[in-house]
Amino acid sequence: MLRVEGLGRKFSGRWIFRNLNFELGAGDGLVVTGRNGSGKSTLLKVISGLLSPSEGRSQFHGDFRLDLGYAGLELALYPSLTATEHLEFSGKSRGVPSRSGEVLEEVGLGHAADKRISQMSSGMKSRLRLALAIQAQPKLLILDEPGVSLDELGKEVVERVCADQKQRGTLILATNDPAERRFATHELELAN
């Protein structure tokens, strides 16, 4: 599913991480840990194709548009759109069914389907980012600090999504939350 060989990324001449090697298949869950600023988010962006590596390569065996789901803290949402409109727009852009009602229920936002993003709490926005990531039922799901800003019910949603993903495909999760580490079949600690 995913092969990483000699992967490295640097900013302003400083290596964030270097010479990473691993391979993940169906049913695997990689948990990436490390202190703030160690490169967790950067690694996930490189793997997902949002950033280019400075060296090495990340080889995903699938269609990035259809088979990869990504949710990160920095993923922008349009303030004037509703949750349903986000999923409809995303579905059209990716060429997949919007599944808006189903996916919003899955992340606990069914009651907020017609609520504009500008009226949502940070936890609701986190749930919507998760909904966008799982919309296409991806083979590879990449989640960056998914439990941040979520209440206990929201964290249960993340746990359910992670468990389901490992049944369907592969999971990569950047976290420092000990509870989320249990989804790991592999762990990678970044120290920078």
Side-chain angles (χ1 to χ4, degrees), residues 4 17 19 48 55 57 73 94 108 116 119 129 187 189:
V4 168
F17 55 82
N19 200 31
S48 65
E55 67 180 12
R57 66 184 182 148
L73 300 170
R94 295 175 81 179
R116 298 205 183 285
Q119 301 168 325
R129 288 181 184 100
E187 281 199 37
E189 183 176 1

Side-chain angles (χ1 to χ4, degrees), residues 75-89:
L75 185 65
L77 300 171
Y78 297 100
S80 62
L81 294 183
T82 65
T84 298
E85 289 168 338
H86 270 86
L87 288 160
E88 289 172 353
F89 177 72

Side-chain angles (χ1 to χ4, degrees), residues 22-190:
F22 58 86
E23 192 168 339
L24 300 172
D28 285 339
L30 172 66
V31 172
V32 182
T33 62
R35 64 178 175 74
N36 293 345
S38 63
K40 297 184 302 292
S41 296
T42 300
L43 174 60
L44 270 54
K45 288 176 185 174
V46 170
I47 291 171
S48 65
L50 296 172
L51 287 175
S52 298
S54 300
E55 67 180 12
R57 66 184 182 148
S58 174
Q59 191 174 17
F60 172 57
H61 301 287
D63 182 330
F64 274 91
R65 191 171 52 94
L66 301 174
D67 297 326
L68 187 140
Y70 173 84
L73 300 170
E74 299 170 358
L75 185 65
L77 300 171
Y78 297 100
S80 62
L81 294 183
T82 65
T84 298
E85 289 168 338
H86 270 86
L87 288 160
E88 289 172 353
F89 177 72
S90 172
K92 285 179 185 173
S93 298
R94 295 175 81 179
V96 300
S98 76
R99 299 177 51 236
S100 59
E102 175 187 346
V103 176
L104 290 173
E105 285 296 331
E106 191 172 343
V107 300
L109 282 180
H111 67 286
D114 296 321
K115 193 171 212 170
R116 298 205 183 285
I117 303 310
S118 61
Q119 301 168 325
M120 289 187 173
S121 69
S122 58
M124 294 171 82
K125 292 174 187 175
S126 291
R127 288 179 187 229
L128 180 57
R129 288 181 184 100
L130 188 59
L132 290 163
I134 64 173
Q135 177 181 32
Q137 298 176 312
K139 293 178 183 175
L140 174 60
L141 180 62
I142 299 175
L143 302 177
D144 189 2
E145 305 276 359
V148 171
S149 78
L150 291 178
D151 58 17
E152 287 307 311
L153 290 176
K155 290 181 180 188
E156 289 174 14
V157 168
V158 170
E159 290 176 17
R160 196 168 48 251
V161 165
C162 288
D164 290 349
Q165 180 62 31
K166 285 182 62 184
Q167 295 292 318
R168 177 178 57 241
T170 306
L171 173 69
I172 299 178
L173 178 70
T175 186
N176 284 319
D177 183 340
E180 292 174 350
R181 291 176 78 167
R182 70 175 184 211
F183 296 108
T185 55
H186 303 74
E187 281 199 37
L188 173 62
E189 183 176 1
L190 296 179

